[in-house]
C-alpha cells in the first residue's frame, strides 16, 4: 500500500535560545583556562630554569674553591718557596700555572678562565689573546680584589625573551660568569687568607638553557592543547543542549497551540451541543407530524404529498446530522467489556446486508483463526465499524467489493489487533488527506463530515488509532488498530 499519512507535522522556525549566555560563558572560561594554564606553565618552567641556574652556580663555586686550593698548593706556594715571588711574565711560571689550571678544569664545561692581578690586567687566561689586556672584567673586579663576596652573572648575546624564537641556539649564547677572589691559605699567625688576585670562570650553559626552553615549550603546547580540548567539549555540550532545548521549546509551542485551539473548540462545542440538543426534540415532532400528514394526504392531492415528503426527508437528514454531531461533541466514556471485534463486524455486516445486496456489493474476509478480543464498548465499536463501511459503500456507489482482514501484531511489548477494511472505490483524494479527520469536512452533497471524526474519537478513546491510506491496487484502506485484551480475560 502506498501510505499517505493523514497527519502532517509542521515545523516551526528555529528560535533564539536563552542559551547564548552559556556561549559567552564558555568563551570566558576558555580565556580563563588559557590564562591559568599559561601562568602555570610559566611558573613551572621558570622554576626549572632557576633550579638549573642554582645547580650551575653551585658547581661554579665548587670549581672556584677547588681552583683556589690547587693553584695555591701546587703553584703559588712552591713558586714563592723556590723563587721568592710570583711573576707570571716568566714563561716557566706561566707554564707551571697553566699546567695546574688545565689539570683541574680538564673535561669540565669551562669555556674560559682568567686571573686578574691588582692592576686589573689579565695575568693568566686560557685564551692567549686576552693576556695583559685591561678592562675585560666587570666593574665588580675592584670589590672582589679587596675581599668582596664571589659574584655570578649570566651573559647572553641577546635578550633572554628572544631565545624561544631563535632556536637552535649557537654555542656560547648563554654564559655563566663567576668572579671570585683568588685566595691562598692563611699564613701562620694570620686569620685571613691572603688575596692573590681575582679568578673569573666562564661556563657555557647554552645547551642546558636550550633543554629548559624545550621543556617550557612542551608545557605550553600541552596546556594549550588541553585547554582547546576542554573548550571543544564544552562547545559540543552547549550545542547539544541548545538542540534539545529548541526541540522541547518547539514541542511546547505546538502543545500550547493545540491546547488553545482545543479549549476554544471545547467551549464552542458545548454551546453548539446544547443548541443541537434543544433542536432534537422539536425536530422529532416535525418528522413524525410530517410522516402522519403524508399518510393522510395520500388520499388528497399529489403536490401536497410531494412537499410533505420533502419535509420528512430533510427532517430525517437533519436529525441524523444532529445525532452524529451530539455523538461527536459529547463522546461517551467507553465501557471496558471483553468484545470480539470479529463478532461486532459480523453484526454490522448483517445489518447492512440488504443495503449491500441492493448495490451489488461483495464482502471478502480473511480473519485470523483466533478471535479479535479487545477491551471496549460494543455499541461504540459497532458505530465506528458501521461508519467505515457506510463510507466505503458510498465511495464505491455501485458494484464493488470490501476486502476485510483481521490480524495480530506485537509493538513494543504491546499486542495489537488490526482490522483493515479496503474497498474498490476511488480511494482517498491525496489533497484531502490532512482534513479527513476534521469535523464537518465532507466531499459529499448530503454528508455531515462527522463520520470519520466519530470513528477517530471512538477508537482513540479505546487506546487505539485509525490509519487512512490508499491501496496500491486502488481503493481506500481504513485500518483500526486496538490494544489486544489481556490473555487472562480472553
Ligand atoms: N472509503 C472512502 N473512500 C473514499 N473517500 C472516503 C472514504 N471514506 C471517507 N472518505 C472521504 O472522507 C470524507 C469524510 O468522511 P466522513 O467523515 O465519514 O463524512 P461524510 O461521510 O459525511 O462525508 C468523505 O466526504 C470522503 O471524501
Ligand atoms: Mg461518512
Amino acid at each position: 500500500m502506498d501510505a499517505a499519512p493523514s497527519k502532517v507535522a509542521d515545523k516551526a522556525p528555529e528560535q533564539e535560545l536563552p542559551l547564548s549566555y552559556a556561549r559567552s560563558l564558555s568563551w570566558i572560561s576558555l580565556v580563563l583556562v588559557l590564562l591559568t594554564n599559561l601562568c602555570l606553565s610559566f611558573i613551572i618552567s621558570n622554576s626549572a630554569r632557576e633550579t638549573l641556574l642554582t645547580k650551575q652556580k653551585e658547581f661554579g663555586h665548587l670549581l672556584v674553591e677547588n681552583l683556589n686550593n690547587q693553584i695555591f698548593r701546587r703553584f703559588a706556594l712552591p713558586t714563592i718557596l723556590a723563587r721568592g715571588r710570583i711573576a707570571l711574565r716568566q714563561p716557566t711560571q706561566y707554564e707551571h700555572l697553566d699546567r695546574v689550571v688545565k689539570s683541574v678544569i680538564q673535561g669540565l664545561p669551562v669555556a674560559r678562565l682568567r686571573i686578574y692581578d691588582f692592576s686589573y690586567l689579565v695575568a693568566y687566561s686560557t685564551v692567549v689573546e686576552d693576556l695583559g689586556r685591561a678592562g675585560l672584567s666587570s666593574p665588580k673586579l675592584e670589590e672582589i680584589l679587596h675581599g668582596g663576596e664571589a659574584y655570578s652573572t649570566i651573559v647572553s648575546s641577546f635578550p633572554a625573551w628572544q631565545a624561544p624564537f631563535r632556536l637552535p641556539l649557537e654555542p656560547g649564547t648563554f654564559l655563566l660568569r663567576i668572579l671570585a677572589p683568588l685566595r691562598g691559605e692563611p699564613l701562620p699567625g694570620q686569620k685571613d687568607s691572603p688575596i692573590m688576585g681575582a679568578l673569573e670562570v666562564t661556563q657555557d650553559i647554552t645547551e642546558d638553557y636550550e633543554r629548559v626552553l624545550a621543556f617550557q615549550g612542551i608545557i605550553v603546547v600541552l596546556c594549550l592543547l588541553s585547554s582547546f580540548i576542554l573548550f571543544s567539549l564544552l562547545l559540543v555540550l552547549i550545542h547539544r543542549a541548545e538542540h534539545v532545548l529548541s526541540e522541547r521549546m518547539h514541542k511546547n509551542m505546538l502543545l500550547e497551540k493545540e491546547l488553545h485551539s482545543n479549549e476554544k473548540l471545547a467551549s464552542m462545542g458545548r454551546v453548539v451541543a446544547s443548541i443541537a440538543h434543544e433542536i432534537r426534540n422539536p425536530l422529532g415532532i416535525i418528522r413524525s407530524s410530517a410522516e402522519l400528514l403524508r399518510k393522510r394526504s395520500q388520499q388528497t392531492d399529489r403536490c401536497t404529498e410531494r412537499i410533505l415528503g420533502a419535509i420528512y426527508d430533510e427532517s430525517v437528514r437533519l436529525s441524523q446530522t444532529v445525532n452524529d454531531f451530539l455523538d461527536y461533541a459529547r463522546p461517551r466514556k467507553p465501557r471496558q467489556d471483553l468484545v470480539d471485534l470479529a463478532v461486532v463486524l459480523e453484526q454490522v455486516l448483517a445489518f447492512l446486508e440488504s443495503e449491500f445486496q441492493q448495490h451489488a456489493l461483495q464482502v471478502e474476509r480473511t480473519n485470523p483463526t483466533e478471535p479479535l478480543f479487545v477491551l471496549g464498548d460494543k455499541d461504540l465499536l459497532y458505530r465506528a465499524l458501521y461508519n467505515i463501511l457506510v463510507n466505503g459503500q458510498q465511495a464505491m456507489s455501485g458494484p464493488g467489493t470490501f476486502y476485510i482482514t483481521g490480524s495480530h501484531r506485537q509493538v513494543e511489548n504491546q499486542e495489537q489487533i488490526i482490522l483493515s477494511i479496503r474497498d474498490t472505490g476511488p480511494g482517498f483524494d491525496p489533497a484531502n488527506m490532512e482534513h479527513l479527520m476534521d469535523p464537518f469536512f465532507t466531499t459529499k452533497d448530503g454528508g455531515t463530515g462527522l463520520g470519520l471524526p466519530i470513528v477517530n474519537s471512538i477508537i482513540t478513546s479505546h487506546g487505539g488509532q485509525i490509519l487512512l491510506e490508499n491501496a496500491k491496487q486502488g481503493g481506500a484502506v481504513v485500518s483500526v488498530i486496538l490494544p489486544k485484551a489481556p490473555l487472562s480475560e480472553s
Side-chain angles (χ1 to χ4, degrees):
M1 295 179 195
D2 64 333
S6 55
K7 284 178 188 173
V8 178
D10 56 321
K11 239 200 169 320
E14 282 287 316
Q15 291 191 336
E16 260 306 304
L17 292 172
L19 257 187
S20 52
Y21 74 92
R23 264 182 197 281
S24 10
L25 209 72
S26 64
W27 280 108
I28 294 171
S29 68
L30 170 75
V31 174
L32 277 179
V33 170
L34 261 181
L35 283 180
T36 320
N37 275 346
L38 283 179
C39 279
L40 263 177
S41 60
F42 178 76
I43 292 169
I44 293 172
S45 51
N46 233 26
S47 91
R49 203 179 50 196
E50 287 302 316
T51 314
L52 166 86
L53 285 182
T54 317
K55 286 272 166 244
Q56 296 283 18
K57 276 181 195 164
E58 276 172 14
F59 169 75
H61 286 292
L62 271 177
L63 182 65
V64 165
E65 215 172 288
N66 193 24
L67 274 166
N68 265 339
N69 205 292
Q70 294 289 327
I71 290 172
F72 180 74
R73 282 170 183 250
R74 287 169 57 194
F75 168 72
L77 203 60
T79 306
I80 289 171
L81 288 179
R83 318 249 164 152
R85 70 186 196 95
I86 295 170
L88 285 176
R89 279 172 214 272
Q90 287 177 16
T92 46
Q93 284 197 23
Y94 188 91
E95 275 163 24
H96 186 183
L97 174 65
D98 194 40
R99 270 200 307 279
V100 172
V101 169
K102 284 193 174 150
S103 75
V104 176
I105 63 171
Q106 174 97 40
L108 298 178
V110 175
R112 196 176 54 204
L113 189 145
R114 285 182 194 147
I115 294 174
Y116 297 93
D117 62 18
F118 282 91
S119 45
Y120 309 148
L121 297 178
V122 178
Y124 170 83
S125 172
T126 47
V127 179
V128 187
E129 292 81 50
D130 299 344
L131 279 180
R133 288 175 63 185
L136 290 185
S137 182
S138 75
K140 291 254 179 186
L141 181 59
E142 192 185 347
E143 199 184 311
I144 298 290
L145 283 173
H146 291 94
E149 280 291 303
Y151 155 81
S152 56
T153 179
I154 289 180
V155 185
S156 60
S157 34
F158 47 77
W161 64 265
Q162 290 182 9
F165 311 103
R166 297 174 78 150
L167 289 171
L169 301 176
E170 290 283 317
T173 310
F174 284 92
L175 299 170
L176 174 67
R177 190 166 289 166
I178 297 175
L179 191 63
L182 178 64
R183 287 178 188 275
E185 282 177 15
L187 295 171
Q190 281 191 351
K191 218 168 103 211
D192 287 335
S193 38
I195 295 175
M196 301 181 291
L199 193 64
E200 186 193 82
V201 179
T202 308
Q203 286 170 253
D204 187 356
I205 56 164
T206 312
E207 215 175 292
D208 290 327
Y209 207 87
E210 218 170 32
R211 247 179 266 142
V212 170
L213 278 181
F215 175 65
Q216 212 165 359
I218 289 172
I219 290 181
V220 170
V221 168
L222 281 181
C223 284
L224 287 180
L225 212 71
S226 64
S227 313
F228 277 110
I229 290 175
L230 260 175
F231 180 65
S232 322
L233 283 177
L234 210 69
L235 274 191
V236 169
L237 219 76
I238 289 175
H239 187 75
R240 182 90 202 102
E242 269 181 350
H243 185 69
V244 172
L245 203 73
S246 92
E247 265 183 7
R248 285 213 184 132
M249 276 172 72
H250 178 65
K251 264 191 204 160
N252 280 358
M253 224 172 57
L254 288 185
L255 274 177
E256 229 170 85
K257 259 192 200 170
E258 207 173 314
L259 207 73
H260 273 301
S261 71
N262 278 357
E263 268 171 18
K264 253 196 230 163
L265 271 179
S267 58
M268 220 165 70
R270 274 194 296 275
V271 174
V272 182
S274 53
I275 296 173
H277 187 73
E278 292 305 316
I279 290 174
R280 187 158 55 175
N281 291 345
L283 202 60
I285 297 170
I286 293 172
R287 196 183 58 193
S288 50
S289 314
E291 198 175 4
L292 201 74
L293 276 177
R294 200 167 62 154
K295 275 183 192 154
R296 281 197 198 162
S297 70
Q298 267 164 4
Q299 296 95 29
T300 58
D301 75 294
R302 303 205 73 194
C303 180
T304 317
E305 190 204 327
R306 253 206 339 271
I307 293 167
L308 287 172
I311 293 175
Y312 175 75
D313 289 346
E314 285 308 301
S315 57
V316 166
R317 199 177 72 78
L318 200 57
S319 53
Q320 179 59 41
T321 307
V322 170
N323 284 337
D324 276 1
F325 176 75
L326 285 174
D327 280 345
Y328 175 72
R330 291 178 174 172
R332 208 172 82 198
K333 197 175 179 304
R335 294 152 57 100
Q336 291 288 293
D337 300 332
L338 189 63
V339 179
D340 183 355
L341 206 62
V343 173
V344 179
L345 178 72
E346 276 310 321
Q347 289 169 349
V348 182
L349 286 173
F351 180 75
L352 289 169
E353 197 177 355
S354 60
E355 187 101 355
F356 282 7
Q357 266 169 10
Q358 265 178 34
H359 293 91
L361 290 176
Q362 310 276 319
V363 178
E364 283 195 22
R365 256 167 299 164
T366 350
N367 279 350
T369 40
E370 42 196 306
L372 305 172
F373 276 125
V374 293
L375 279 185
D377 194 313
K378 194 166 156 286
D379 294 342
L380 291 178
L381 291 171
Y382 182 99
R383 200 172 304 167
L385 295 186
Y386 174 84
N387 271 314
I388 295 170
L389 285 167
V390 168
N391 271 350
Q393 180 215 320
Q394 289 168 349
M396 289 189 276
S397 66
T401 312
F402 278 110
Y403 294 93
I404 303 177
T405 325
S407 57
H408 294 254
R409 75 172 182 189
Q410 178 88 24
V411 178
E412 291 168 3
N413 299 335
Q414 192 194 50
E415 267 208 90
Q416 297 178 331
I417 64 123
I418 308 167
L419 189 70
S420 283
I421 300 173
R422 173 162 75 86
D423 59 48
T424 51
F428 298 110
D429 183 349
N432 297 336
M433 227 51 196
E434 270 183 60
H435 306 291
L436 294 179
M437 302 285 196
D438 293 349
F440 305 113
F441 175 82
T442 180
T443 54
K444 300 167 197 166
D445 280 342
T448 60
L450 287 168
L452 287 180
I454 288 172
V455 175
N456 189 37
S457 115
I458 291 175
I459 300 302
T460 46
S461 71
H462 279 76
Q465 80 187 99
I466 166 171
L467 281 185
L468 306 178
E469 299 161 316
N470 279 325
K472 257 189 202 146
Q473 55 271 63
V477 185
V478 181
S479 304
V480 171
I481 304 170
L482 285 166
K484 192 185 169 196
L487 268 181
S488 56
E489 309 216 23
S490 56

